[in-house]
Amino acid sequence: MFFTAGWVAEALERYRRRGPQDTIMGKKVVFSDRHYLAALLHIYTGTFGLEALARLANLPLEELLHQRSQVDFMSLVDYLRTRFAEWFREHLLLRDFELPEYGLLALEYLHLEEQVRAQIRIPLLHQLKYLREELEDKLSGGKTLAPYDERQLRRLLLFFLSVEALRPSLCGRLVNRTRETAERAYPGEFSRLELPERGDFVESLYRYLEESLRHVTGA
């Protein structure tokens, strides 16, 4: 099971169950299921080329290229990217994962489209910085974070440590500084990661999407 692919399938199913009066961005729904799926799959542009996205949605490449020249379709793409990023952030902040799952989440995150990654990364790093500063203040008074904040710190730090271990970036400075502060409060909590194998990830993700969406695309 791929975390991000699960969102695609769930979002598509909600769309298929929509009512006749439902709207998207205040407009009447005019997209077929396959066109909507193609828009959903744009969270993966960069990992999958347009030919692969067209095959997954069972659309001719020429049709996808035409849709990408249309304002309404690309507005839908941007809207769905934003909704996906909100969903990803919410689940990461509010749900506990096992240690290997943080590694898998990080790997999936790194295969998302860059704009989507930025929509996920920037607010979460801002929250991580806030929690680090809050923890530093608490430690200076001989205290630690409240349980809710402690859980959020753990979730964010394990995720971003996994991301940085897989693909180092300039964000590593903030992440490593946060780990140093967190280790003072919670010794050993962040000393170990479990990272996934990266070899056939893209092929596995494609096959999973292909299988899970076949009942819609008819491919």
Side-chain angles (χ1 to χ4, degrees), residues 16-27:
R16 297 180 74 201
R17 296 198 308 264
R18 68 192 183 278
Q21 304 303 318
D22 288 352
T23 61
I24 297 177
M25 299 177 290
K27 297 180 180 179

Side-chain angles (χ1 to χ4, degrees), residues 17 33 37 45-46 49 58 68 75 80 83 99 121 126 134 136 140 151 159 178-179 191 199 204 206 215 217 219:
R17 296 198 308 264
D33 291 353
L37 172 58
T45 51
N58 198 18
R68 284 173 54 85
S75 295
L80 292 173
R83 294 298 300 271
L99 195 58
R121 178 179 66 248
H126 180 79
E134 182 73 9
E136 287 176 344
S140 66
R151 288 193 295 271
F159 172 72
T178 304
R179 174 166 57 181
S191 59
S204 296
Y206 183 90
H215 69 289
T217 63

Side-chain angles (χ1 to χ4, degrees), residues 21-36:
Q21 304 303 318
D22 288 352
T23 61
I24 297 177
M25 299 177 290
K27 297 180 180 179
K28 186 177 179 180
V29 175
V30 295
F31 298 101
S32 71
D33 291 353
R34 286 186 292 169
H35 286 85
Y36 191 81

Side-chain angles (χ1 to χ4, degrees), residues 100-117:
E101 291 178 313
Y102 281 106
L104 290 170
L105 276 173
L107 187 56
E108 286 198 55
Y109 162 84
L110 289 170
H111 285 83
L112 296 170
E113 190 267 342
E114 170 54 32
Q115 177 184 325
V116 176
R117 293 203 307 271

Side-chain angles (χ1 to χ4, degrees), residues 116-134:
V116 176
R117 293 203 307 271
Q119 289 176 321
I120 293 169
R121 178 179 66 248
I122 293 171
L124 291 183
L125 285 176
H126 180 79
Q127 178 68 3
L128 185 66
K129 181 181 178 182
Y130 164 79
L131 290 169
R132 188 205 77 220
E133 292 171 348
E134 182 73 9

